[in-house]
């Protein structure tokens, strides 16, 4: 079975972000960029499915500026077979990304699409669910375990109260949560090999999708800073402050 | 235009987070209707009619809604949404799973985790793990949104008298089925609903030591949480996790024990009213957000805290 994975290029999770002085967004120039960590988990899962004989081909898709090719190369070095890059310098919101992915799914006909549950830049947590809706497919979000059969997949999901298991009919969309797996580091030979793997490039217009944003960002600001308080000398002083000063216990 | 709130429940009781969504909905202008979709969910529907500020409760009681499967709930919500200006759910795993599916079929761009409502079409939401706040304006006709429970007060219950209306159920989509669930047994309040939370980090060293926190929690009526480091180390199950990739909480009192204060953890708890940090490393970043800091070894401080709470019990 063919598996499609979506990978987004985002500001590396270790970078302390800075809000631009003109409040139009977050500084991304000269900042380290990486694959969205949840998408890395998605690529890893696809590669494991292939190693386990369940998947036959892995296609990685990324959307955004030219540099997304680096993100795709990372996916290819981890074990994806080929890449598709939808080139766009304009902002792509989740609904537009889902529509673009739908058009790619129509061409590629995968049985399974794996996406990260959310990107760590806009924190939307929408694209996978939207793609499933547009395709009329089943969905399993926040997956911590995937047992793939031929007609169905049994997926364990991380929900607020604990874990939930659902059986979903294939083809399906699955979004990853943190504990699904631990992504591998690409080896040097695999990084070299990945340079020779093919990446197709196309524009949103080639896929017939209108990507006009529906949400206008009016401003981006830093959250109010919390001030540090006082140090107390003992447990007794702490309990006294909580009872008599803060009055919270 | 009216607002449609999607209630979250387990067919027996309404989840408290729904009450926060009702408050958010009431700030959008227009009547608030609540949809209760389930099977054998009559008690939940009754409870929903008593929420203050709710004008109407729509009830869809049918087998396809026995479990909250997004594939089955979406056609119902999409069908009802046409008559509303906003469709709102809380940003819990239930709301996050369902609402984007609804938004896509309505061809609208959802607004996620709304923290403040500036105008009926303008909202503040966190990006980059809450390290920046974006104000966004929607041009879509129907606004589909999830709201952060801790950013809105819970609506009062018991005083309302909403009208109840049955709505026609949609068919089973035949795409998915519920297999089972393993919910953590919670003898203490749920993290997202607790007034006081005591959380442990990697410095707890093992799961056994969390028992010390539980003993303190029981004296305070508190919930027990954990940092991602403590969860990844296997000390406690993953639904204990407070942080950007876990639960976002904002209790009246948050006690962080042996937690250094990684950005990811701070993003999940920094809106708490009073923060206490107990850590033996006086340079730990958690002290920069704590109202009261105690530099101490937790293996000594926690038993002392328990004894002091008993000794000074009013």
């Amino acid at each position: 079975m063919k598996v499609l994975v979506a990978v987004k290029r985002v500001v590396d999770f270790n970078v302390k972000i800075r809000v631009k002085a003109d409040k139009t967004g977050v500084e991304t120039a000269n900042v380290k960029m990486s694959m969205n960590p949840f998408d890395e988990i998605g690529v890893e899962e696809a590669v494991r499915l292939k190693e386990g004989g369940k998947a036959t081909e892995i296609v990685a898709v990324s959307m955004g500026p030219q540099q997304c090719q680096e993100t795709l190369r990372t996916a290819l070095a981890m074990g994806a077979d080929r890449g598709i890059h939808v080139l766009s310098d304009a902002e792509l919101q989740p609904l537009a990304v889902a529509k673009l992915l739908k058009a790619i799914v129509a061409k590629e006909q995968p049985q399974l699409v794996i996406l990260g549950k959310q990107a760590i830049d806009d924190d939307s947590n929408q694209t996978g669910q939207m793609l499933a809706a547009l395709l009329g497919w089943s969905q399993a979000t926040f997956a911590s375990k995937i047992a793939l059969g031929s007609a169905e997949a049994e997926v364990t999901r991380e929900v607020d109260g604990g874990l939930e298991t659902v059986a979903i009919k294939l083809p399906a969309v699955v979004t990853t949560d943190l504990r699904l797996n631990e992504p591998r580091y690409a080896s040097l030979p695999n990084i070299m090999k990945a340079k020779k793997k093919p990446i197709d490039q196309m524009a949103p217009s080639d896929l017939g999708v209108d990507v006009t944003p529906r949400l206008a960002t009016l401003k981006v600001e830093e959250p109010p800073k919390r001030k540090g308080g006082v140090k107390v000398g003992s447990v007794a002083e702490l309990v006294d402050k909580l009872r008599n000063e803060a009055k919270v216990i | 235009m009216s607002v449609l709130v999607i209630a979250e429940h387990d067919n027996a009781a309404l989840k408290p987070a729904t009450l926060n969504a009702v408050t958010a909905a009431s700030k959008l202008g227009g009547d608030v209707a609540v949809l209760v979709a389930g099977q054998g969910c009559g008690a939940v529907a009754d409870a929903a009619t008593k929420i203050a500020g709710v004008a109407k409760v729509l009830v869809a009681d049918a087998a396809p809604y026995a479990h909250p499967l997004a594939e089955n709930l979406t056609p119902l919500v999409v069908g009802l949404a046409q008559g509303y200006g906003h469709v709102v759910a809380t940003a819990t795993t239930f709301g996050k799973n369902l609402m984007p599916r609804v938004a896509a079929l309505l061809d609208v761009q959802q607004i996620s985790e709304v923290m403040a409502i500036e105008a009926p079409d303008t909202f503040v939401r966190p990006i980059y793990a809450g390290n920046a706040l974006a104000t966004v304006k929607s041009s879509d006709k129907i606004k589909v949104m999830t709201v952060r429970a801790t950013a809105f007060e819970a609506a009062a219950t018991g005083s309302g008298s909403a009208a109840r209306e049955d709505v026609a159920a949609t068919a089973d989509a035949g795409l998915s089925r519920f297999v089972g669930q393993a919910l953590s047994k919670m003898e203490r309040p749920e993290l997202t609903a607790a007034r006081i939370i005591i959380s442990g980090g990697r410095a707890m060293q093992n799961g056994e030591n969390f028992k010390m926190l539980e003993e303190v929690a029981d004296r305070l009526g508190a919930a027990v949480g954990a940092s991602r480091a403590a969860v990844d180390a296997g000390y406690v199950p993953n639904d204990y996790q407070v942080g950007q990739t876990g639960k976002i909480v904002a209790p009246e009192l948050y006690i962080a024990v042996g937690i250094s204060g990684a950005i990811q953890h701070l993003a999940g708890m920094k809106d708490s009213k009073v923060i206490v940090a107990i850590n033996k490393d006086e340079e730990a970043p958690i002290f920069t957000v704590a109202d009261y800091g105690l530099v101490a070894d937790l293996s000594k401080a926690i038993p002392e805290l328990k004894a002091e709470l008993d000794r000074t019990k009013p």
Side-chain angles (χ1 to χ4, degrees):
Chain A
M1 113 177 21
K2 191 192 275 188
V3 179
L4 197 82
V5 289
V7 295
K8 185 175 184 183
R9 179 175 180 267
V10 298
V11 173
D12 187 87
F13 77 100
N14 278 318
V15 171
K16 191 166 167 22
I17 60 118
R18 275 188 309 125
V19 171
K20 286 184 188 167
D22 64 2
K23 296 189 180 179
T24 56
V26 164
E27 197 58 71
T28 54
N30 304 314
V31 168
K32 186 183 178 209
M33 306 292 279
S34 301
M35 187 190 297
N36 178 41
F38 291 104
D39 299 346
E40 247 182 323
I41 294 170
V43 175
E44 176 65 35
E45 194 64 17
V47 174
R48 289 187 191 188
L49 287 173
K50 195 178 171 194
E51 288 168 347
K54 302 255 168 113
T56 49
E57 189 188 14
I58 303 166
V59 181
V61 183
S62 192
M63 302 181 185
Q66 189 60 35
Q67 296 93 318
C68 288
Q69 300 242 345
E70 294 161 21
T71 314
L72 282 171
R73 291 289 167 205
T74 306
L76 296 174
M78 287 174 73
D81 296 295
R82 59 190 172 87
I84 295 175
H85 177 210
V86 180
L87 178 66
S88 168
D89 288 319
E91 183 193 356
L92 297 173
Q93 293 182 345
L95 182 64
V97 173
K99 287 178 179 177
L100 292 166
L101 284 171
K102 184 194 174 195
I104 291 170
V105 165
K107 287 213 251 187
E108 295 286 339
Q109 300 285 318
Q111 283 291 294
L112 183 65
V113 183
I114 308 179
L115 305 89
K117 73 165 179 182
Q118 74 191 67
I120 60 163
D121 51 4
D122 62 34
D123 287 331
S124 289
N125 196 329
Q126 297 176 9
T127 307
Q129 297 89 310
M130 287 183 152
L131 175 64
L134 296 175
L135 290 165
W137 287 9
S138 59
Q139 69 182 49
T141 50
F142 327 139
S144 64
K145 193 176 160 207
I146 304 174
L148 191 60
S150 52
E152 237 184 31
E154 217 171 82
V155 181
T156 303
R157 307 177 52 232
E158 295 197 12
V159 296
D160 286 332
L163 298 172
E164 178 193 87
T165 304
V166 290
I168 52 170
K169 216 165 119 180
L170 298 177
V173 174
V174 173
T175 75
T176 63
D177 215 320
L178 278 178
R179 288 165 197 90
L180 182 60
N181 60 49
E182 256 184 64
R184 68 193 65 193
Y185 290 101
S187 67
L188 190 60
N190 285 342
I191 291 171
M192 300 312 288
K193 258 191 262 173
K195 293 188 175 169
K196 296 200 183 79
K197 291 183 181 175
I199 295 180
D200 266 355
Q201 196 173 68
M202 58 194 74
S205 57
D206 296 332
L207 295 165
V209 176
D210 174 9
V211 297
T212 311
R214 309 289 188 85
L215 289 181
T217 300
L218 303 183
K219 62 180 174 187
V220 173
E221 293 171 301
E222 275 186 46
K225 280 229 166 36
R226 200 178 169 110
K227 282 198 207 88
V230 297
K231 290 255 169 65
V232 293
S234 68
V235 168
E237 189 186 345
L238 174 64
V239 171
D240 177 64
K241 295 262 194 206
L242 292 178
R243 276 206 209 285
N244 302 315
E245 189 177 271
K247 295 190 168 52
V248 284
I249 60 172
Chain B
M1 289 293 271
S2 330
V3 183
L4 180 64
V5 174
I6 316 300
E8 181 177 353
H9 62 88
D10 58 5
N11 289 317
L14 197 65
K15 296 271 181 202
T18 303
L19 302 173
N20 307 90
V22 168
T23 299
S26 65
K27 293 179 191 294
L28 293 164
D31 283 348
V32 176
V34 172
L35 170 66
V36 176
Q39 187 185 29
C41 56
V44 179
D46 285 343
T49 60
K50 298 191 179 82
I51 305 172
V54 173
K56 191 161 72 171
V57 174
L58 306 174
V59 186
D61 195 331
Y65 316 132
H67 299 285
L69 296 170
E71 294 87 344
N72 287 352
L73 288 169
T74 299
L76 175 72
V77 177
V78 168
L80 293 169
Q82 305 299 339
Y84 294 89
H86 297 79
V87 185
V88 180
T90 315
T92 54
T93 50
F94 165 80
K96 289 174 179 174
N97 184 48
L98 172 66
M99 298 301 266
R101 195 167 175 109
V102 170
L105 293 187
L106 292 170
D107 193 30
V108 305
Q109 175 55 57
Q110 178 186 300
I111 307 111
S112 297
E113 294 253 6
V114 168
M115 293 174 72
I117 294 162
E118 306 272 286
D121 63 354
T122 307
F123 313 97
V124 180
R125 59 175 305 266
I127 56 174
Y128 291 92
N131 289 307
L133 301 179
T135 304
V136 296
K137 184 173 172 156
S138 167
S139 56
D140 286 315
K141 192 165 150 267
I142 302 174
K143 277 82 176 160
V144 174
M145 55 202 264
T146 61
V147 299
R148 182 172 281 192
T150 56
F152 299 92
E153 302 261 316
T157 52
S159 57
S161 56
R164 190 179 148 153
E165 189 183 305
D166 287 323
V167 295
T170 48
D172 193 315
L175 291 171
S176 56
R177 73 201 147 72
F178 175 85
V179 175
Q181 60 186 4
L183 301 184
S184 304
K185 259 202 254 149
M186 283 278 180
E187 289 151 31
R188 296 176 192 86
E190 275 194 47
L191 274 173
T192 47
R195 199 180 70 79
I196 300 177
I197 295 173
I198 180 162
S199 286
R202 195 197 297 275
M204 295 301 292
Q205 288 175 338
N206 55 52
E208 276 300 296
N209 281 339
F210 266 83
K211 292 223 169 65
M212 296 195 299
L213 295 191
E214 288 170 4
E215 289 173 357
V216 174
D218 288 341
R219 282 159 176 79
L220 293 168
V224 177
S227 69
R228 183 174 164 188
V231 171
D232 284 349
Y235 303 164
V236 286
N238 59 40
D239 49 305
Y240 277 57
Q241 188 189 323
V242 172
Q244 178 61 17
T245 53
K247 292 194 174 71
I248 311 285
V249 300
E252 282 182 43
L253 173 61
Y254 188 91
I255 307 175
V257 181
I259 291 176
S260 62
I263 295 173
Q264 117 88 22
H265 188 75
L266 299 182
M269 47 64 81
K270 67 177 163 44
D271 294 327
S272 306
K273 201 169 135 219
V274 174
I275 296 175
V276 170
I278 301 176
N279 201 306
K280 69 177 174 191
D281 172 13
E282 83 180 283
E283 301 297 319
I286 189 79
F287 286 120
T288 64
V289 300
D291 299 285
Y292 301 107
L294 176 64
V295 180
D297 192 316
L298 65 92
S299 62
K300 234 182 104 220
I302 301 306
E304 262 181 59
L305 177 57
K306 184 180 111 183
E308 184 67 13
L309 287 170
D310 285 340
R311 193 183 69 79
T312 61
K313 199 169 158 201

